Every structure is written in C-alpha cells, then in structure tokens.
C-alpha cells in the first residue's frame, strides 16, 4: 500500500497488462500524443537513441503475431515496435566526418536499450491516462532476424520490444508485487534474514491471485513461475547475441 496518493500514483498502482481489446483503432491524434509522451522521456546523454515503428500493414501485424505467438495482438488498436537506434546518430557522425566508433560500443547499445525501455513505459502510462491499456512484448525477440527483415531495419538498429495498445475489453486484477524488503535495500545488497518466510507469504499471495482471477485462473506461486521460466527452451533466442552484433552493436 503506497503511503501517499494522487491521480498519477493511483494509475501507476492499478496498472495491469491488457491483452483483450475492443475492435476500435487508435486515432491519429492519439498515436501522435503517445509518441510525444515517449519523446519527452529522459534520454541518456540527450542522444534520443531509439525509434518507434508503427505497424499499420495487417500482414506485418499478422507476422509479428506469429513471431510472438500472441495472436491477440492483431486485435489491438495500435501496435508499436520500439527500436534501439544509433543509425540516425551515425548519419550525423558521417555528415560531420567524425569517427563513429563509440556508436558501436556496449555502452551505446545499453543507452539505446534504456532510452527505448523508458520511452515504452511513458507510452504505457500515457495510454492508461487516456483510458487505453496494453502490453509490452519482449516476445518479438523470438525471431529478431525476421523482425529486422520485416521492418527493413538498417545497421545500428535493433527491435527490442513490441507494444500493443488499445481500448481494454476486460479489466484484469492487479498482480501482487514482491514485499519491498525483498527488493529494496539500504546502502548495500542485503536479502532479509527471513527471506524464506517472506517469500512463502508472497508465494501464497500470488497463488491466491492466480487462483481467484477472473480469467485464465491457475495454481501458480511466484517461485513456481520463476522455476517454470528457467525451464524454458534456450533454443528460441539463442542467436540473439550474434544478431545484435550483426547489426553493428557490441563491437568493443
Ligand atoms: C520487457 C517486458 C517484456 C514483456 N513481454 C511480454 C510478452 O512478450 N508477452 C506478454 O504477454 N506480456 C509481456 N510482458 C508483460 C508482463 O508479462 C507483465 O507486465 C507482467 O506479467 C506483470 O503483469 P502486469 O503488467 O499485468 O502487472 C512484458 C513486460 C515487459 C516489461
């Protein structure tokens, strides 16, 4: 329970990912507003090192649904792909005859990831403030080479996240988060001495949430969920590092 409250905190604390949408596209004005909200996010070294691709072609949307395995995304009111982007700044480097080496470093790849991720969350928060909802989708990484080809992404770009936004057709219950003592420490990393007990309580909370939620209910605690994640195939995204390097990143 947050100690303070206001409309923004209320909205943040009531966030849930939306995966069922009304059949209603976003307007141009809504899309432009969401992009503007993204653009005003903090950006590392003011380098604005990400781009956003709006998917308007139904065939491309269907292919992204195939890649992610999330066929419901075709029903979203709008689909964005958030792209790490040092290509634009490479053009500036070239125009000024400047050595572009730094754009290829791990540091700059991370900066692109931070910029794109923070901008993604700004879109989510702005969308929710407009009565919309959505889901961030890392599952476009299932086949990043195909996404790169689909969107014609040049060197020094990489598709990081999808973002499905639309008018919610349901209102899922909020998922309980970890007790703060398990994830917020003073001065140094210190899991609490009663870590196991606190985790057991949290597992029970999460199990209660999954057991009682209105759709897709199941028996699952947080610990079960993490263990299940660890059991996921390594095969699907095993070419990720090679693809990121092929795009010209992480060359240091
Ligand atoms: C980086 C990132 C990637 C995600 N990828 C997916 C995804 O591919 N598919 C999906 O259904 N949800 C995805 N999500 C949504 C999470 O599953 C969701 O945020 C989490 O379960 C917490 O639920 P909540 O957002 O309803 O609170 C992603 C979230 C983040 C931040």
């Amino acid at each position: 329970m947050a100690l303070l409250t206001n409309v923004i905190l209320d909205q943040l604390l009531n966030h849930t990912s939306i995966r069922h949408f009304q059949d209603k596209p976003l307007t141009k004005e809504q899309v432009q507003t969401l992009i503007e909200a993204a653009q005003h996010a903090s950006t590392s070294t003011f380098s604005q090192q990400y781009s956003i691709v709006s998917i308007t072609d139904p065939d491309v949307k269907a292919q992204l649904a195939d890649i992610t395995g999330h066929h419901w995304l075709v029903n979203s009111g709008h689909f964005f792909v958030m792209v790490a982007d040092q290509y634009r700044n490479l053009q500036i480097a070239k125009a000024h005859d400047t050595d572009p080496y730094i754009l290829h470093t791990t540091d700059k790849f991370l900066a692109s990831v931070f910029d794109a991720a923070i901008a993604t969350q700004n879109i989510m928060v702005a969308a929710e403030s407009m009565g919309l909802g959505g889901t961030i989708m890392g599952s476009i990484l299932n086949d990043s080479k195909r996404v790169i080809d689909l969107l014609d992404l040049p060197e020094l770009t990489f598709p990081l996240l999808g973002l499905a936004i639309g008018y919610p057709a349901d209102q899922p219950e909020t998922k309980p988060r970890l007790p703060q003592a398990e994830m917020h420490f003073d001065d140094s990393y210190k899991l609490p001495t009663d870590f196991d007990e606190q985790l057991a309580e949290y597992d029970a909370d999460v199990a209660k949430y999954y057991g009682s939620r209105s759709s897709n209910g199941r028996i699952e605690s947080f610990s079960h969920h993490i263990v299940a994640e660890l059991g996921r195939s390594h095969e699907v995204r095993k070419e990720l590092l090679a693809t990121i390097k092929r795009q010209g990143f992480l060359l240091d």
Side-chain angles (χ1 to χ4, degrees), residues 177-185 189-192 195 198:
R177 298 309 206 245
L178 283 162
Q180 290 193 3
E182 306 248 305
M183 50 71 67
H184 174 217
F185 317 114
Y189 190 96
K190 248 182 304 238
L191 288 176
F195 171 78
Q198 292 209 36

Side-chain angles (χ1 to χ4, degrees), residues 66-137:
D66 191 37
I67 289 166
T68 59
H70 293 324
H71 290 277
W72 48 262
L73 79 78
V74 298
N75 301 322
S76 61
H78 199 86
F79 195 81
F80 299 103
V81 178
M82 308 297 291
V83 177
D85 185 359
Q86 299 291 353
Y87 178 78
R88 187 173 41 244
N89 290 343
L90 176 65
Q91 308 316 304
I92 296 173
K94 281 182 181 162
H96 290 79
D97 244 343
T98 306
D99 180 357
Y101 169 72
I102 279 184
L103 301 179
H104 296 274
T105 61
T106 305
D107 183 38
K108 277 295 182 190
F109 180 67
L110 285 178
S112 273
V113 173
F114 300 142
D115 277 10
I118 293 168
T120 304
Q121 181 64 4
N122 257 28
I123 295 182
M124 179 67 89
V125 171
E128 289 175 352
S129 80
M130 290 154 61
L132 303 165
T135 295
I136 295 171
M137 295 173 62

Side-chain angles (χ1 to χ4, degrees), residues 173-246:
E173 296 85 354
T174 53
K175 267 188 199 167
R177 298 309 206 245
L178 283 162
Q180 290 193 3
E182 306 248 305
M183 50 71 67
H184 174 217
F185 317 114
D186 283 341
D187 301 318
S188 62
Y189 190 96
K190 248 182 304 238
L191 288 176
T193 48
D194 63 345
F195 171 78
D196 291 343
E197 288 84 348
Q198 292 209 36
L199 184 62
E201 268 181 45
Y202 180 58
D203 275 339
D205 282 352
V206 171
K208 199 164 132 202
Y209 157 81
Y210 276 117
S212 66
R213 72 179 184 179
S214 40
S215 71
N216 196 18
R218 55 181 186 265
I219 301 171
E220 180 160 292
S221 69
F222 184 67
S223 298
H224 282 140
H225 167 67
I226 295 300
V227 171
E229 279 289 301
L230 298 180
R232 244 183 18 183
S233 161
H234 306 202
E235 289 304 303
V236 184
R237 300 183 188 178
K238 71 171 189 216
E239 289 182 20
L240 217 38
L241 180 60
T243 309
I244 292 168
K245 287 184 169 175
R246 203 191 62 177

